[in-house]
Amino acid sequence: MPLDDTLRSLLVAHGPSGYETAPAAAWREAAGRFSDDVSTDVMGSVLARVPGKQPDGPTVAVVGHIDEIGLIVTHIDDKGYLYVIGVGGWDAQQLVGQRVAITTRDGVVPGVVGRKPIHLLKEEERKKAAELKELHIDVGARDGDEARALVRIGDVAVIAADPVELPNDRVAARALDNRLGSYIALEAARLVAEAGGGAGDVVAVGVVQEEVGLNGARALAYSLRPDVAIVVDVTHETDTPGVDAKQLGTHTFGSGPVIERGTILHPRVYELLVEAAEAESIPHTFMASAARTGTDADAIHLTRGGIVTGGVGLPLRYMHSAVEIVQLDDVANCAKLIAAFALRLTADTDLSRG
């Protein structure tokens, strides 16, 4: 299947945590094609509601975070070099020699990440991994005054890497973590709308600031107060060299969505997701977590008096890099699974733990 226009628009948009305006605008535009109730909350998270058919039907939130990791400018020296810290979790090795795009008030400024050349590194330096504090961004400025006219402290950057379509239904891009989740939330809600709606409202959500503390999800869950939340995020594809399936379970490309089970995730939601997958012949695998999932579910399930929460993952290679890879049929099957789950719920569905 080709990379569709909605997902492409989400992937080319630049939106590190706290600066998600561009991907949120692309998301809202897509949501408006199937929902008459599209909104943005005070933090910048975006919502699209598909009305339910029963007044007492359960409200289901399908949540994927729309932010990505990035860099933020902290200092511009008199020679015109920019120094940055990470927005989210970076392996600095991923940045060495990369081209970057800096979002400024006057548009995008291109730059490159520089480091002392290997010829000048001492022997002991060559053995060490680069640290972010040892890197800088070069925008080609003659001096600090020219650089400061182009870029301000607090401007953010992402790696300049547009999507590349690969063989076997695969795509490489930055920000697949987790524009994929926000896209799947849209697609699941669209499928529910095409089916005529579920028993209760289905609300697709693209939440902000996941990479810096699950902030958008926490605020969203408090205000929306859904009866059920399904959090969609990426997980590690286990055919990738260096990934240990004994720790993570087996989730290869083409094996479909990953249904998560664990301490904070509601057991009844897990069972209902499995039932939906089996009933619709959707390929799927399983993953277990203990104290936390590392996703927005960790915040949502604790909100107010607690929210019934489930987790669905998507196999991804090279997470938190400029060359993350996904297989698109897994994306489609993930949306189908969540839509099937939502359509099977009724006002009488038992969501108690005991």
Side-chain angles (χ1 to χ4, degrees), residues 56-74:
D56 55 350
T59 296
V60 180
V62 186
V63 180
H65 73 84
I66 203 164
D67 58 314
E68 62 182 296
I69 60 173
L71 303 166
I72 188 166
V73 177
T74 57

Side-chain angles (χ1 to χ4, degrees), residues 75-346:
H75 178 67
I76 304 171
D77 72 14
D78 290 338
K79 295 181 180 180
Y81 297 116
L82 282 54
Y83 294 86
V84 296
I85 57 175
V87 178
W90 275 105
D91 172 3
Q93 310 313 301
Q94 298 286 345
L95 292 167
V96 176
Q98 293 279 5
R99 299 180 184 185
V100 295
I102 308 164
T103 300
T104 77
R105 59 183 167 183
D106 296 320
V108 174
V109 172
V112 299
V113 177
R115 186 193 185 198
K116 188 195 301 185
I118 190 170
H119 317 69
L120 305 179
L121 292 174
K122 297 177 182 178
E123 185 176 354
E124 60 271 21
E125 290 178 311
R126 295 186 187 189
K127 298 176 183 178
K128 292 173 53 181
E131 297 183 45
L132 190 52
K133 64 183 180 182
E134 298 169 342
L135 308 179
H136 59 269
I137 294 177
D138 189 336
V139 294
R142 288 187 298 269
D143 54 31
D145 288 341
E146 185 177 9
R148 294 181 194 108
L150 293 169
V151 179
R152 295 185 295 171
I153 302 300
D155 284 344
V156 290
V158 297
I159 292 176
D162 283 347
V164 176
E165 296 188 53
L166 301 173
N168 301 306
D169 202 29
R170 296 171 185 178
V171 170
R174 44 153 272 282
L176 288 173
D177 177 10
N178 187 34
R179 299 284 158 69
L180 287 173
S182 67
Y183 171 77
I184 288 165
L186 276 175
E187 277 294 285
R190 183 185 65 80
L191 291 171
V192 169
E194 285 185 354
D201 292 358
V202 173
V203 185
V205 189
V207 294
V208 298
Q209 298 186 34
E210 188 269 357
E211 298 288 359
V212 293
L214 319 181
N215 302 333
R218 184 175 291 107
L220 179 282
Y222 189 91
S223 60
L224 182 61
R225 203 171 189 173
D227 296 295
V228 185
I230 302 295
V231 174
V232 191
D233 210 324
V234 293
T235 190
H236 301 285
E237 194 271 346
T238 53
D239 266 352
T240 311
V243 177
D244 187 356
K246 295 189 293 295
Q247 296 295 316
L248 299 173
T250 301
H251 325 298
T252 59
F253 281 159
S255 63
V258 184
I259 303 174
E260 190 167 358
R261 186 181 188 189
T263 307
I264 71 163
L265 299 171
H266 199 285
R268 184 65 183 134
V269 173
Y270 166 81
E271 298 294 350
L272 290 169
L273 285 165
V274 174
E275 289 175 16
E278 292 176 345
E280 300 297 325
S281 299
I282 297 170
H284 57 284
T285 62
F286 303 103
M287 180 169 63
S289 61
R292 56 190 299 272
T293 67
T295 74
D296 282 317
D298 296 344
I300 291 173
H301 87 285
L302 288 172
T303 302
R304 290 188 180 266
I307 290 174
V308 173
T309 304
V312 179
L314 195 66
L316 184 82
R317 289 180 181 167
Y318 319 125
M319 197 181 299
H320 281 207
S321 79
V323 292
E324 296 174 339
I325 298 180
V326 72
Q327 187 159 309
L328 292 176
D329 61 348
D330 291 332
V331 179
N333 280 322
C334 192
K336 290 176 184 176
L337 169 62
I338 295 169
F341 165 87
L343 289 167
R344 291 167 70 87
L345 294 181
T346 71

